[in-house]
Amino acid sequence: MACKGVSMLTRLRILCSLVLSAACVPALFAGGGHEPSAGHNLEIFSWWTAGGEAEGLAAMFDIYHGKYPWIGIFNATVAGGAGSNAKSVLATRMRGGNPPDSFQVHAGHELIDSWVVAGKMEPITFLFRDNGWLNAFPAGLVKIISYNGEIYSVPVNIHRSNILWYNKKIFAEHNLKPPESLDDLLSLSDALARAGITPLALGDNGIWAAVHLLESVLLGTMGPTKYQGLWSGATDWSGPEVRASLTRFVSLMRYVNTDHAAMSWDAAVQYVIDGECGMTIMGDWAEGYFKAKGCTPDKEFGWVPSPGTRGSFLMLSDSFGLPKGAPDRDAAVKWLTVAASREGQDAFNPKKGSIPSRTDGDRTLYDVYQKSAMDSFRSDTIVPSVTHGAAAAESWVNDIQDAIALFMCDLNVDRTIAALERAARKYVK
Ligand code: GAL
């Protein structure tokens, strides 16, 4: 797939957020030599370093800088998809009483169970009331960022986890149609493998990416009601649906790149861009990555809901909150105001691959994939992503990740079911 190269500025920004000292980052991100001032600095903590996500964050920083040029911005990123490294760094900092001014956190259980219940966050209901945001965000979303009548974060986007992305050139050359069901996926994978192309790209050097794939397989096998039941206790983890899902997952492993355990999620997407692999199942931050690499939706890459999940939207949302003891609380409140604004969201999301969490985003700014995601978000059954903090407490997610880390080594369905069931018993009564 011939996609245009990444701009020099983008390369510089990504490189800078990865390797340069904290002191030079604010200058680059603030768009033109603005140094942090002695009194006003904003430290934003996230894991957005990959193509698409880094550009989206930079776009919000640009808006912040335009409004508050006297405040320096420190882009405190810890690389590693889904926060696989950032979350433990954050936990250490929060435990040590050294919070950033604001940090990326998934709306739902991750926010509430990890930080709010622990008493580490300030309620920001006043911001929602004073700025009229209660009318700007969907009520269902406000519900999952609330606890005991107070609101605790600003959701900056809606991401969809259950998407299969594919290389259009490969599919056209081999006369293939994107798969609708998991059985289709297996037979299509077989056809690709016979043609000498690795069918499915996976980059699970962070084990979350394997769990990410599994959540799509669970949903595609059992449907939204039973999938939801996994988190409420209504669906039995030792029942036939989980067994069928894990069995299919084992079959799929025959078709993934052999170096998957050494690769990151974005390297897996790059395999699809380069034509090394035919497809990948990843959240729509992959769309941001494709575009950051110069690819155009529906030209070089196509997409369908993960096999078997059409009609369901596996949802997650990135949000920012106000930790108690934020060193520059005023700068943080201003950040939350930018993150909640229509302008902020419409600068961030077109690059990120996500859609705005506000209901009044400017649809004309979004591409054909994102428009389809907006439509699906309106009409589909919304189900929460477990990998990305919406469905279950982080400690449960960690237990699932441990079970799947072993599963990726031994592909032992019985042992994995037992481990998943043990984990579930700890969290649902
Ligand atoms: C998710 C996050 C996305 C994206 C992805 C890969 O957990 O919600 O915004 O960053 O990880 O890093």
Side-chain angles (χ1 to χ4, degrees):
M1 202 189 300
C3 300
K4 290 182 289 286
V6 188
S7 78
M8 207 50 190
L9 180 62
T10 302
R11 278 173 205 274
L12 261 177
R13 284 177 164 170
I14 294 170
L15 197 68
C16 193
S17 74
L18 284 172
V19 297
L20 294 186
S21 75
C24 92
V25 174
L28 266 185
F29 268 98
H34 175 74
E35 295 297 332
S37 77
H40 291 285
N41 289 305
L42 172 75
E43 184 190 0
I44 297 299
F45 185 94
S46 81
W47 59 86
W48 287 332
T49 60
E53 47 189 35
E55 286 84 351
L57 183 59
M60 269 203 296
F61 285 165
D62 285 347
I63 290 181
Y64 189 92
H65 179 59
K67 285 188 191 304
Y68 313 109
W70 62 91
I71 303 178
I73 304 172
F74 175 23
N75 181 33
T77 48
V78 178
S84 40
N85 303 320
K87 286 180 191 173
S88 47
V89 174
L90 179 68
T92 306
R93 290 188 55 174
M94 295 288 275
R95 262 199 306 274
N98 175 30
D101 292 306
S102 185
F103 61 88
Q104 176 190 0
V105 60
H106 288 123
H109 284 272
E110 188 178 306
L111 165 72
I112 303 299
D113 298 350
S114 299
W115 302 117
V116 175
V117 175
K120 299 285 187 194
M121 306 300 285
E122 260 196 57
I124 53 167
T125 319
F126 68 99
L127 285 175
F128 276 75
R129 287 215 188 94
D130 296 353
N131 296 297
W133 297 343
L134 285 166
N135 299 322
F137 292 90
L141 187 57
V142 173
K143 192 165 163 212
I144 66 167
I145 51 169
S146 300
Y147 181 70
N148 280 348
E150 297 279 7
I151 303 174
Y152 282 93
S153 72
V154 166
V156 73
N157 63 3
I158 302 287
H159 264 307
R160 186 174 191 182
S161 132
N162 58 319
I163 296 287
L164 178 143
W165 309 93
Y166 63 96
N167 179 311
K168 287 200 81 162
K169 185 158 171 265
I170 292 180
F171 272 54
E173 273 170 12
H174 296 275
N175 205 13
L176 299 169
K177 276 204 180 71
E180 273 299 315
S181 67
L182 283 158
D183 288 342
D184 287 352
L185 175 62
L186 289 170
S187 47
L188 183 85
S189 296
D190 216 43
L192 280 168
R194 270 188 274 113
I197 296 161
T198 304
L200 193 65
L202 175 65
D204 64 335
N205 67 358
I207 195 62
W208 69 271
V211 182
H212 184 108
L213 174 59
L214 179 64
E215 76 180 24
S216 262
V217 173
L218 286 166
L219 179 64
T221 303
M222 65 181 70
T225 308
K226 292 239 161 167
Y227 171 85
Q228 297 254 45
L230 291 171
W231 317 114
S232 67
T235 302
D236 185 359
W237 281 86
S238 58
E241 298 89 358
V242 174
R243 177 171 294 278
S245 304
L246 293 182
T247 306
R248 273 175 161 155
F249 190 91
V250 171
S251 306
L252 271 180
M253 286 307 108
R254 288 204 303 270
Y255 299 113
V256 301
N257 43 304
T258 49
D259 57 357
H260 62 90
M263 307 291 283
S264 57
W265 72 267
D266 46 325
V269 179
Q270 188 64 45
Y271 269 171
V272 178
I273 293 177
D274 295 341
E276 291 279 330
C277 297
M279 357 170 227
T280 191
I281 290 179
M282 186 41 64
D284 50 15
W285 43 94
E287 215 256 346
Y289 183 85
F290 276 115
K291 290 192 295 188
K293 297 293 165 182
C295 303
T296 306
D298 220 13
K299 192 167 158 223
E300 285 98 357
F301 68 96
W303 64 90
V304 281
S306 300
T309 71
R310 189 176 287 281
S312 295
F313 190 114
L314 251 176
M315 168 269 181
L316 62 125
S317 169
D318 295 301
S319 75
F320 286 89
L322 185 59
K324 283 184 183 162
D328 199 329
R329 184 182 180 279
D330 180 55
V333 166
K334 289 182 166 63
W335 167 252
L336 297 177
T337 309
V338 168
S341 69
R342 187 176 189 235
E343 184 192 6
Q345 298 210 352
D346 280 345
F348 171 73
N349 288 300
K351 295 184 190 303
K352 184 71 168 71
S354 39
I355 58 174
S357 55
R358 291 181 63 108
T359 51
D360 60 356
D362 179 354
R363 192 178 162 96
T364 63
L365 298 173
Y366 293 85
D367 63 40
V368 54
Y369 164 72
Q370 291 170 310
K371 287 192 177 98
S372 77
M374 287 175 182
D375 295 341
S376 297
F377 189 62
R378 213 164 295 128
S379 59
D380 283 6
T381 305
I382 309 293
V383 287
S385 159
V386 65
T387 320
H388 306 280
E394 219 171 336
S395 39
W396 189 358
V397 180
N398 289 338
D399 284 357
I400 293 172
Q401 290 191 349
D402 288 348
I404 299 308
L406 249 187
F407 186 44
M408 292 304 281
C409 298
D410 65 10
L411 296 180
N412 184 320
V413 170
D414 289 324
R415 198 178 12 231
T416 306
I417 289 177
L420 292 172
E421 203 202 352
R422 249 192 331 272
R425 261 191 268 120
K426 280 163 56 183
Y427 300 97
V428 279
K429 303 291 161 221

